[in-house]
Amino acid sequence: MDLRALRQRVGLRSRDVAIELDCALSSIRNWEKGRTTPKMKVWQVISFAGFISMH
């Protein structure tokens, strides 16, 4: 499952994910469109996993 599908499945907006990961909204959009690959720090991966599981 890709980021967009996962995000939509749990009812989050791109902006919500950007805020949780402390990154630019344009980064989220680029990741979802396959323009760039996420380069996340460990804390961001853990935070995102927890954020997704709460929803």
Side-chain angles (χ1 to χ4, degrees):
M1 181 175 293
D2 63 21
L3 177 60
R4 177 179 285 173
L6 180 60
R7 175 181 60 73
Q8 290 175 336
R9 183 176 178 187
V10 296
L12 296 171
R13 300 173 302 168
S14 299
R15 185 173 192 268
D16 300 326
V17 176
I19 290 168
E20 181 64 23
L21 296 179
D22 191 29
C23 67
L25 179 56
S26 60
S27 293
I28 302 300
R29 289 182 180 148
N30 286 332
W31 298 345
E32 289 185 349
K33 292 181 180 191
R35 292 181 187 146
T36 58
T37 303
K39 293 177 179 77
M40 296 173 30
K41 296 180 173 136
V42 173
W43 74 264
Q44 289 172 306
V45 174
I46 293 168
S47 176
F48 184 65
F51 189 60
I52 291 296
S53 68
M54 290 178 8
H55 291 85

